[in-house]
Amino acid sequence: MGTLDGKVAIVSGSGRGIGREIAMKLAGAGAQVVVNDLDADPAKETVAAIEAAGGRALSCVGSVTAEGFAERFVQTAVDGFGGLDIIVNNAGYTWDSVIQKMTDEQWDAILDVHLKAPFRILRAAQPVISARVKQARAAGEPVPCRKVVNVSSMAGTGGNAGQANYSSAKAGLLGLTKTLSKEWGRYNVTVNAVAFGFIRTRLTESPAGGGDTIDIEGREIKVGVNPNLLSAMEQMIPLGRAGLPSEAAGAVYLFCIPESDYVSGQTLLCNGGLAL
């Protein structure tokens, strides 16, 4: 018996990186998972990996910022697996610049993906969750504990130079987390956040030391951090290294299991002990 047997989860941005590890972790514990990515191939690959390991998964391809996506994402879980128990808002990227050089487009794009998109997904999920809770109570059945985990960052708890947009969005997500923990307590839903420190992903590592780019909806976004800077950052971390995507997924998993059913409105720092 898996810890999450019978649960249905949606994980945004789960075709690659940390999101993929989260989806695999939840599926490995028995959850049925809706996988999302901007691109079809990574989403299909994650679904195939889950199924190869004996789990169940579906894909919901598209941008979390697109009109109507949130409703489609939630409905994929309901239509495909019959419900919705776990929501992980993970999708995102960075588009950095100092404030005097940051454009409105940069600001809006990052606020949209990291704050507006989670808001829309949670708003779309509310009618589904509310209806299921009412049904259970009308039938005299116990209301299961559902889970929301919002992925934030240490940039949102302490700020980070060159990331006014990202830091603001991730800080706003913490406010949304605390508010929803109060609004949804009556539904027996816990709402928590995990704030990551330095995790090694395609957004931080680049063979060119920061010269690589990724395509985000037609925008070429620079990724990668200079290897010398990465090494200096790791020396500041008490554990002496950056985190792995699997370790980041483990922190999210802690908020999804029954052992955390009485923990809500909290932010867990997953950062190897780094203090700002």
Side-chain angles (χ1 to χ4, degrees):
M1 294 291 289
T3 306
L4 301 178
D5 278 354
K7 302 294 185 181
V8 178
I10 59 176
V11 184
S12 68
S14 49
R16 289 169 274 214
I18 294 171
R20 174 187 169 96
E21 293 293 336
I22 293 170
M24 295 292 294
K25 184 76 173 177
L26 299 182
Q32 301 162 95
V33 182
V34 178
V35 174
N36 157 254
D37 197 90
L38 266 174
D39 304 314
D41 287 346
K44 290 179 181 178
E45 289 170 6
T46 300
V47 169
I50 289 172
E51 291 177 340
R56 298 183 64 197
L58 295 170
S59 67
C60 182
V61 177
S63 170
V64 294
T65 65
E67 292 291 336
F69 172 82
E71 290 76 12
R72 180 165 62 89
F73 197 22
V74 169
Q75 200 60 44
T76 299
V78 174
D79 292 344
F81 295 130
L84 180 59
D85 303 286
I86 298 169
I87 302 169
V88 180
N89 284 307
N90 166 78
Y93 61 98
T94 57
W95 192 2
D96 299 348
S97 183
V98 291
I99 194 165
Q100 66 270 26
K101 296 181 180 179
M102 184 172 290
T103 66
D104 285 356
E105 182 186 11
Q106 277 179 283
W107 175 269
D108 291 342
I110 296 303
L111 267 290
D112 282 351
V113 72
H114 288 285
L115 186 55
K116 190 174 184 178
F119 156 73
R120 284 176 163 178
I121 290 168
L122 294 168
R123 182 177 62 183
Q126 191 278 340
V128 172
I129 292 172
S130 176
R132 296 303 172 93
V133 169
K134 290 177 181 177
Q135 290 172 4
R137 287 175 176 160
E141 299 171 351
V143 176
C145 185
R146 292 180 170 88
K147 310 280 190 166
V148 174
V149 186
N150 294 319
V151 173
S152 185
S153 166
M154 287 186 68
T157 61
N160 196 33
Q163 294 189 319
N165 50 2
Y166 182 72
S167 298
S168 297
K170 289 304 193 183
L173 191 58
L174 298 181
L176 180 63
T177 297
K178 290 183 178 296
T179 297
L180 264 292
S181 73
K182 293 176 169 62
E183 289 190 13
W184 286 11
R186 66 184 185 273
Y187 302 136
N188 198 24
V189 177
T190 67
V191 187
N192 294 289
V194 176
F196 294 137
F198 178 26
I199 309 294
R200 288 192 176 273
T201 70
R202 68 181 181 134
L203 299 183
T204 59
E205 294 194 299
S206 166
D212 284 2
T213 63
I214 58 173
D215 181 272
I216 302 291
E217 299 184 273
R219 302 185 185 100
E220 288 295 316
I221 307 296
K222 291 183 179 181
V223 297
V225 180
N226 186 287
N228 292 330
L229 179 57
L230 293 183
S231 178
M233 291 170 63
E234 287 188 315
Q235 290 178 26
M236 297 171 60
I237 300 170
L239 288 182
R241 61 177 178 82
L244 301 174
S246 59
E247 294 170 322
V252 172
Y253 174 74
L254 294 176
F255 281 138
C256 296
I257 58 178
E259 286 81 354
S260 62
D261 281 358
Y262 200 62
V263 179
S264 194
Q266 304 303 306
T267 301
L268 172 65
L269 298 180
C270 178
N271 61 7
L274 178 64
L276 291 180

